[in-house]
Amino acid sequence: MTSSIKSDIKSPRLAQTGKARIEWAAREMPVLKLIKARFEKERLLAGVRLAACLHVTAETANLMEVLKAGGAEVVLCASNPLSTQDDVAAALVRYTGVSVYAIRGEDRKTYYRHLSQALSIKPQITMDDGADLVSLLHGAKQHLSKYIWGSSEETTTGVIRLRALEAKKLLKFPVVAVNDSQTKHFFDNRYGTGQSTIDGILRATNTLIAGKTFVVAGYGWCGKGLAMRAKGLGASIIVTEVDPVKALEAKMDGFEVMPMLDAAKRADIVVTVTGDINVLDGQHFKAMKDGCIVANSGHFNVEINLPALKKLSKAVQTVKPGVEVYEMRDGRKFYVLAEGRLVNLAAAEGHPATVMDMSFANQALAAVFLVRNHGKLEKKVYTIEKELDEEVASLKLKSLGIKIDVLTPRQKKYLSSWDEGT
Ligand code: ADE
């Protein structure tokens, strides 16, 4: 079947492999499957124009199928230039009828052109992973914001940007912080990032984690997951933090905690997962041991100050795909993975489908929330209702064959009372 769907992808010939990859992911996305059946029946998004800026992966493709099943017109662009699975992009165009603008390795100019192309359908709903569409809709493309009913956001970094807009009273439409759903960040950020970051490091380097000193910068949900998994593989963990509570938590979880300048001197591997800029900076590279492997699993490629590292280097060379060696003037060598971009998506395939199942169930429900409440919402950041979060968890438990206890009427009454003590 040749496609008349508008797109800019690497090659339509990759569609068949992409289809197989999407079906493989679908095996572990039972919650999304249930939601898809409901969307098909109830056409909850009929006629809605929806633009999504997400990592173009097999898991995302399953979400796109759900949105299409709900009746939406869907366009997808990448939320990172290095995370696109080109075969999946091709399959989405050919088999699902989604317009896709994404090519793995696209340069900055193409990346932004693709975002603009996604917005050219004048979407009523947008979905972001990192708030790039929302950011454009508040900047160069603000004339399109009048069409927007609402937007949803996948990741911590994006929610931080949205809350900054909200705090300055600049937010032009309601947004749903999908990241803040418990069934998102408890699982995707913690177990997803924990595993997929290690996966990216291993695929790029095949290094042994056991016995290494592994520095985790940032002890949010992603950092917690990463530290837990690296420990499980036998590394000694050092956590760096700026938040005293999180630092204390890391200490009580059994990890060493210290400033990055001290950690850098001992590190064999450093991974940044903070959401902030210049977490690894010139001063840290000056202190770092020869041979250190450096990677980032935070949303943007700003956490490792690569320009500063380049300045300190006499040569930069590609060792193999996803690994660049920076040679300092004194002969020390540091290995930077995936150009400092999300190592889990650029060097591996991102989070496993089973966690994306819940994240994207929340995305699908957020779209319905925005459509159902069109015109009734304020220009603020919303979190998905607790009941929906619990529904996603219940569906996931059911799919795993797990039953749990239910409160007896007596227990319910006890929990809503204030006067029953010992
Ligand atoms: N973010 C992290 N992992 C992902 C995946 N597999 N698909 C889409 N977005 C992701």
Side-chain angles (χ1 to χ4, degrees):
M1 186 175 98
T2 45
S3 165
S4 58
I5 304 289
K6 281 192 194 164
S7 64
D8 189 17
I9 56 173
K10 181 149 188 220
S11 165
R13 284 195 299 276
L14 300 170
Q16 192 63 42
T17 0
K19 185 167 182 271
R21 208 200 266 236
I22 295 167
E23 284 167 4
W24 177 255
R27 290 169 55 253
E28 298 212 28
M29 304 186 89
V31 178
L32 216 46
K33 189 173 169 193
L34 286 170
I35 292 178
K36 186 177 176 191
R38 210 177 106 210
F39 274 38
E40 253 158 10
K41 207 162 112 210
E42 298 175 24
R43 300 289 282 177
L44 296 167
L45 303 176
V48 173
R49 294 187 304 277
L50 191 152
C53 177
L54 300 170
H55 300 292
V56 181
T57 65
E59 292 74 29
T60 300
N62 278 283
L63 171 63
M64 297 300 108
E65 287 181 8
V66 175
L67 303 175
K68 286 289 283 186
E73 178 191 341
V74 183
V75 52
L76 173 66
C77 60
S79 58
N80 186 299
L82 281 188
S83 61
T84 298
Q85 296 167 359
D86 289 316
D87 52 356
V88 166
L92 272 173
V93 175
R94 180 176 308 170
Y95 299 110
T96 316
V98 172
S99 270
V100 182
Y101 297 99
I103 301 172
R104 190 181 187 90
E106 61 197 11
D107 60 19
R108 191 181 157 78
K109 205 169 139 215
T110 313
Y111 178 80
Y112 278 101
R113 175 164 56 78
H114 284 161
L115 259 66
S116 294
Q117 282 173 305
L119 288 179
S120 69
I121 63 160
K122 301 192 174 84
Q124 291 146 323
I125 304 288
T126 64
M127 250 175 215
D128 260 320
D129 186 333
D132 277 349
L133 288 182
V134 167
S135 175
L136 269 183
L137 288 163
H138 285 75
K141 296 282 172 188
Q142 54 180 290
H143 59 286
L144 296 175
S145 66
K146 59 178 177 284
Y147 300 106
I148 305 284
W149 299 354
S151 180
S152 59
E153 172 54 51
E154 173 78 4
T155 199
T156 318
T157 295
V159 173
I160 290 169
R161 294 174 94 185
L162 295 171
R163 291 210 194 277
L165 275 171
E166 183 187 38
K168 291 186 178 134
K169 305 225 178 318
L170 294 174
L171 197 59
K172 289 179 180 293
F173 40 77
V175 291
V176 179
V178 165
N179 181 70
D180 293 358
S181 297
Q182 295 196 357
T183 46
K184 199 282 180 178
H185 64 263
F186 278 3
F187 304 94
D188 170 315
N189 301 28
R190 180 165 41 173
Y191 303 110
T193 307
Q195 180 168 311
S196 63
T197 301
I198 299 275
D199 188 12
I201 294 169
L202 293 184
R203 290 198 206 193
T205 64
N206 197 24
T207 195
L208 185 73
I209 305 287
K212 295 266 161 50
T213 298
F214 194 112
V215 176
V216 178
Y219 207 62
W221 288 107
C222 297
K224 283 193 228 302
L226 179 57
M228 173 168 63
R229 290 297 174 249
K231 180 184 174 189
L233 285 170
S236 308
I237 311 296
I238 299 175
V239 170
T240 69
E241 248 305 337
V242 291
D243 177 325
V245 178
K246 289 181 182 156
L248 196 54
E249 192 183 5
K251 177 68 187 160
M252 301 236 174
D253 283 346
F255 304 129
E256 280 192 87
V257 179
M258 64 186 73
M260 182 56 93
L261 203 49
D262 297 328
K265 293 176 191 153
R266 291 177 43 197
D268 297 307
I269 302 172
V270 182
V271 184
T272 53
V273 250
T274 68
D276 211 341
I277 193 165
N278 298 347
V279 177
L280 267 184
D281 214 342
Q283 52 170 333
H284 306 121
F285 293 117
K286 284 182 190 158
M288 206 173 258
K289 257 182 7 189
D290 177 39
C292 188
I293 292 170
V294 172
N296 167 54
S297 218
H299 184 77
F300 287 116
N301 59 338
V302 295
E303 305 209 12
I304 304 170
N305 189 346
L306 286 182
L309 177 58
K310 210 164 192 176
K311 249 191 184 164
L312 294 169
S313 311
K314 64 177 179 199
V316 184
Q317 274 174 349
T318 301
V319 180
K320 63 205 218 43
V323 185
E324 281 179 326
V325 57
Y326 285 68
E327 189 173 355
M328 305 292 101
R329 281 186 269 279
D330 62 9
R332 284 173 306 144
K333 289 180 181 166
F334 305 133
Y335 300 92
V336 176
L337 308 189
E339 300 168 26
R341 293 196 184 272
L342 280 163
V343 71
N344 59 340
L345 280 139
E349 294 171 74
H351 302 350
T354 196
V355 287
M356 295 316 294
D357 187 27
M358 288 186 281
S359 309
F360 286 161
N362 280 289
Q363 281 287 9
L365 296 176
V368 173
F369 171 81
L370 290 168
V371 170
R372 281 211 175 123
N373 292 292
H374 170 46
K376 291 184 237 159
L377 300 172
E378 291 172 57
K379 294 172 183 173
K380 58 179 223 186
V381 180
Y382 288 85
T383 305
I384 281 182
E385 298 158 20
K386 192 167 173 278
E387 289 73 24
L388 285 182
D389 217 349
E390 285 174 357
E391 189 188 326
V392 172
S394 300
L395 291 173
K396 192 71 179 175
L397 282 170
K398 199 168 162 208
S399 76
L400 295 168
I402 296 170
K403 293 194 178 112
I404 59 172
D405 291 323
V406 283
L407 293 173
T408 62
R410 172 77 185 97
Q411 286 173 322
K412 263 193 194 161
K413 186 163 174 272
Y414 180 81
L415 287 179
S416 59
S417 72
W418 56 270
D419 53 350
E420 280 194 63
T422 308

